Amino acid sequence: MLDSQLRHLLLQQLEVIETTIRAEYAHELGRLFGNTAFYLDEDTYVDVKGKPSQIVDGIIRDLERSNSRMIGHYTDTNIKDPMSRYREVPIWVAVEVMSFGRISNMLVYMKEITPAKKVAENIGVRWGPFSETIHSFSVLRNICAHWMQLWNRTLDIQCHVPKKYRPRNIKFTPNSMYAAIIMLNHYRLKIDGNNDIGGTIEKMLNDNPEFGNGIRNPQMK
């Protein structure tokens, strides 16, 4: 029951943050690269363990799965080769159908970091852990979307919490759900000033010590 309630609250936080990141990143990428489908060029990404081809292939899959009229408007269905078929789809259209995980990969692996740095600046958050934080958020979103257990669970992608944002008198494991919760609340506060959900989550964890400890200091069984 508590797991379900927390999942619902986290998804609300994540929706606001994801929507903001999508819009801001698409805007900044468009300003720099224009309407070209630069995101389909493997040279756009840092060459790490086949990541460029994985990202491009993933974006194409996202585009092919979409029924968006806007995607259709920029697509020549007579072209069989997917890479060529989507060459006219601008970033501000493509980003609407990309998964959040795909966008986080772009943030982490794109060679040109100026757009990402500008997004962090626009939101008012620190650049240092920005790309990694969004990556961690995308992993958390996937966990929530698939109704996986949150209690006593660690995150595969650790969400770094700068020292100034760590609450006093509360100990938590660095790769815990709680680390991501702290940063989710911080980002939400920066985006629209809303701290209601953050307060509700904190109260839930404090009112239910066993559950709260499993979120803050998970013990995998």
Side-chain angles (χ1 to χ4, degrees):
M1 183 64 175
L2 291 173
D3 221 59
S4 179
Q5 291 175 10
L6 178 58
R7 185 180 299 109
H8 178 69
L9 293 168
L10 292 179
L11 284 171
Q12 290 183 66
Q13 297 285 68
L14 286 162
E15 181 180 4
V16 173
I17 293 167
E18 178 182 345
T19 301
T20 301
I21 296 299
R22 283 180 184 276
E24 291 283 346
Y25 199 35
H27 177 70
E28 296 300 336
L29 288 171
R31 287 180 61 183
L32 183 63
F33 293 105
N35 289 334
T36 62
F38 65 91
Y39 54 87
L40 293 180
D41 293 326
E42 292 186 11
D43 286 344
T44 300
Y45 309 98
V46 178
D47 190 6
V48 179
K49 297 181 180 179
K51 270 296 179 181
S53 60
Q54 292 174 29
I55 293 171
V56 171
D57 289 346
I59 291 174
I60 289 176
R61 287 196 299 273
D62 288 344
L63 293 171
E64 289 184 321
R65 279 196 296 264
S66 172
N67 294 318
S68 168
R69 291 184 179 181
M70 289 299 292
I71 296 293
H73 178 75
Y74 290 97
T75 302
D76 187 344
T77 56
N78 294 317
I79 299 176
K80 293 184 178 180
D81 175 50
M83 191 71 72
S84 301
R85 187 187 311 147
Y86 298 109
R87 276 293 173 187
E88 300 301 320
V89 181
I91 184 62
W92 57 271
V93 173
V95 79
E96 289 192 3
V97 302
M98 290 183 197
S99 70
F100 193 34
R102 209 82 64 209
I103 292 172
S104 75
N105 277 329
M106 290 177 68
L107 281 165
V108 172
Y109 293 102
M110 187 171 286
K111 291 178 181 177
E112 177 55 74
I113 64 173
T114 302
K117 293 183 76 171
K118 188 63 177 176
V119 173
E121 180 185 331
N122 293 346
I123 295 174
V125 298
R126 289 176 52 170
W127 164 245
F130 177 72
S131 298
E132 292 78 9
T133 299
I134 299 302
H135 192 187
S136 183
F137 287 171
S138 73
V139 172
L140 178 58
R141 184 191 183 283
N142 188 56
I143 291 173
C144 291
H146 289 86
W147 287 81
M148 298 179 188
Q149 179 176 308
L150 302 176
W151 186 62
N152 275 332
R153 188 188 194 96
T154 57
L155 280 172
D156 292 336
I157 303 298
Q158 180 178 323
C159 192
H160 174 69
V161 182
K163 189 174 181 179
K164 65 183 295 185
Y165 303 135
R166 298 172 193 171
R168 295 180 180 180
N169 304 319
I170 296 180
K171 295 182 179 180
F172 62 93
T173 307
N175 63 345
S176 66
M177 290 285 168
Y178 190 66
I181 288 171
I182 292 172
M183 296 309 292
L184 276 175
N185 295 343
H186 173 63
Y187 272 50
R188 178 68 191 273
L189 193 61
K190 287 293 185 179
I191 288 171
D192 64 7
N194 190 312
N195 194 39
D196 293 344
I197 293 178
T200 299
I201 292 174
E202 202 63 41
K203 186 176 186 304
M204 175 191 295
L205 301 182
N206 291 336
D207 289 349
N208 300 275
E210 183 179 1
F211 180 73
N213 192 52
I215 296 297
R216 291 168 173 149
N217 300 285
Q219 301 294 320
M220 301 295 287
K221 298 179 180 180

